[in-house]
Amino acid sequence: MSLIRADHVSLAYGRQTVLSDVSLAIEPGEIVTLVGPNGSGKSSLVKVLTGQIRPDAGQVRRKPELRLGYVPQKLAIDQSLPMTVLRFLNLPRRRDPEAIRRAAAETGIEGLEQRQVADLSGGQMQRVLLARALLVSPELLILDEPTQGLDQPGEAAFYRHLERLRDSLGCAVFMVSHDLHVVMSASDRVICLNHHVCCEGTPKVVRDAPEYRALFGQGTQGALALYQHDHDHHHHDHEHDHQGHDHA
């Protein structure tokens, strides 16, 4: 049984169609990456899947009692508010200290528990948000642009970390990528969204799909780069570093 399934989902804000007849399913244990240009409906689709928004048409079905861990795109925390990482992890209710210890170990944030949330770097904050999502022992982890604001080495490290988590926890991962051109090489499937599903398949299938190339341009700018497992090669895609950060 699929963990989560969207059937013919449509959504509009006023007269603007955001999602049009979108269908997808996420199966246990798989890594699925969602890519698409700015304003293509990616975050709206996440909100529909997580139950934050009701679609205008179609339906979303979740496995009964699905344990869902969610890492939001950005969390606005009042910088003047004193809050330690440990206190943040215990919101909205107290968690088992052993569960917190395990989540901290799994995400590499041991030693940060007494630090102020406002003092964390972007990468540290992402790992804290990930640790908080792991506290529910998720069967499905949904991450909305989790590497936005990280540099490429930070992005690669985060992807490798997610891969290890999937292997150790056995959870499925559904991740929205902010960079059209770089997806996690461990993705079982890539779904390309531009208000509707343009194409989907393995990363290599999507990279070669005419719909993907039509949407994102030909040549190097339209090529889909994969973060590989080996650590001894150099990334030549620095021209992409400053793209995709102009979110409206």
Side-chain angles (χ1 to χ4, degrees):
M1 179 185 184
S2 302
L3 296 176
I4 202 162
R5 178 176 201 97
D7 291 310
H8 306 292
V9 163
S10 293
L11 177 71
Y13 298 139
R15 290 184 171 177
Q16 187 189 3
T17 298
V18 184
L19 299 171
S20 175
D21 199 29
V22 172
S23 295
L24 61 88
I26 302 166
E27 306 302 329
E30 69 173 349
I31 294 180
V32 180
T33 301
L34 182 73
V35 296
N38 289 340
S40 59
K42 301 189 299 289
S43 286
S44 295
L45 180 56
V46 166
K47 288 182 173 130
V48 167
L49 292 175
T50 53
Q52 299 173 60
I53 296 179
R54 282 180 71 93
D56 296 324
Q59 62 172 334
V60 174
R61 283 178 296 197
R62 297 176 195 86
K63 181 187 154 200
E65 309 295 318
L66 175 68
R67 295 190 310 278
L68 178 66
Y70 174 53
V71 178
Q73 189 177 114
K74 274 265 187 296
L75 200 61
I77 291 178
D78 184 346
Q79 297 293 308
S80 64
L81 192 69
M83 186 187 296
T84 62
V85 167
L86 186 60
R87 181 150 169 248
F88 175 72
L89 291 174
N90 274 300
L91 293 175
R93 56 189 176 81
R94 277 195 92 68
R95 297 287 186 175
D96 172 40
E98 177 57 23
I100 286 183
R101 194 196 62 71
R102 272 200 314 272
E106 279 163 346
T107 53
I109 61 165
E110 307 108 310
L112 295 181
E113 291 89 349
Q114 299 309 320
R115 286 273 296 278
Q116 290 294 318
V117 168
D119 296 337
L120 299 178
S121 71
Q124 288 170 332
M125 188 65 203
Q126 283 311 106
R127 293 205 301 274
V128 167
L129 289 171
L130 184 57
R132 189 167 173 229
L134 294 183
L135 289 171
V136 299
S137 302
E139 296 164 88
L140 172 60
L141 201 50
I142 293 185
L143 306 103
D144 190 359
E145 308 202 6
T147 60
Q148 191 184 340
L150 301 185
D151 60 10
Q152 284 201 307
E155 197 168 336
F158 191 85
Y159 283 169
R160 284 196 295 272
H161 203 100
L162 267 185
E163 219 175 301
R164 287 197 296 273
L165 277 178
R166 191 272 302 258
D167 294 341
S168 64
L169 302 178
C171 61
V173 175
F174 181 71
M175 179 173 58
V176 178
S177 174
H178 73 280
D179 191 331
L180 301 176
H181 311 290
V182 183
V183 302
M184 196 164 152
S185 60
S187 298
D188 297 298
R189 274 188 300 137
V190 176
I191 298 174
C192 184
L193 186 78
N194 193 18
H195 306 298
H196 64 284
V197 175
C198 305
C199 53
E200 70 172 295
T202 64
K204 289 182 172 60
V205 164
V206 168
R207 181 175 63 191
D208 297 333
E211 297 90 343
Y212 175 84
R213 292 180 175 272
L215 198 53
F216 304 128
Q218 298 290 342
T220 54
Q221 296 298 94
L224 192 64
L226 304 177
Y227 272 134
Q228 305 299 343
H229 299 269
D230 53 308
H231 308 286
D232 57 2
H233 68 302
H234 300 287
H235 297 292
H236 299 295
D237 43 356
H238 294 298
E239 68 265 31
H240 302 324
D241 280 358
H242 305 296
Q243 291 190 334
H245 301 293
D246 51 340
H247 290 267

